[in-house]
């Protein structure tokens, strides 16, 4: 009797689906799809800000990776810390 191997792509898909059900896992596919399409970095910063189950430190690391425009990064930090635009 021979062992049958599971289809590798099917196994990867099932593993991904299980991982996405965990509370502390963020599906980054939308971020990278948006990045490829040159979407607004303001939109990306907003998506990072509303992530649940993600620490402030993790949001900051993520923002530094996906936001390249310094004005948008400044906007992100003002929103993150609840700073008024007039104070900056």
């Amino acid at each position: 009797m021979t062992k049958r191997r599971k289809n590798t792509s099917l196994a990867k898909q099932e593993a991904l689906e299980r991982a996405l059900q965990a509370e502390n896992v963020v599906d980054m596919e939308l971020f990278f799809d948006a990045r490829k399409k040159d979407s607004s970095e303001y939109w990306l910063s907003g998506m990072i800000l509303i992530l649940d189950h993600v620490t402030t430190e993790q949001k900051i690391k993520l923002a530094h990776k996906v936001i390249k425009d310094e004005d948008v990064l400044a906007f992100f930090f003002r929103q993150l810390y609840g700073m008024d635009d007039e104070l900056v």
Side-chain angles (χ1 to χ4, degrees):
M1 187 169 157
T2 60
K3 286 186 179 181
R4 287 178 47 175
R5 285 189 173 182
K6 214 175 194 183
N7 182 331
T8 305
S9 62
L10 180 61
K12 287 180 183 178
Q13 180 66 29
E14 289 173 355
L16 177 61
E17 288 172 3
R18 283 193 306 275
L20 290 175
Q21 291 172 359
E23 287 185 0
N24 63 344
V25 174
V26 177
D27 183 1
M28 297 303 299
E29 187 174 2
L30 289 176
F31 288 95
F32 295 111
D33 284 348
R35 189 94 177 121
K36 290 177 195 168
K37 296 175 186 173
D38 292 329
S39 288
S40 167
E41 289 191 355
Y42 286 100
W43 179 85
L44 289 172
S45 70
M47 293 298 100
I48 294 168
L49 289 167
I50 65 169
L51 288 172
D52 287 337
H53 309 293
V54 176
T55 66
T56 299
E57 182 179 297
Q58 290 169 324
K59 287 181 182 183
I60 291 169
K61 286 180 182 178
L62 181 57
H64 280 293
K65 286 184 181 180
V66 299
I67 299 172
K68 302 302 177 195
D69 184 319
E70 288 189 22
D71 291 335
V72 179
L73 200 54
F75 167 83
F76 169 81
F77 279 106
R78 286 194 304 272
Q79 297 299 313
L80 183 66
Y81 293 112
M83 298 171 67
D84 191 352
D85 285 339
E86 295 173 5
L87 296 176
V88 178

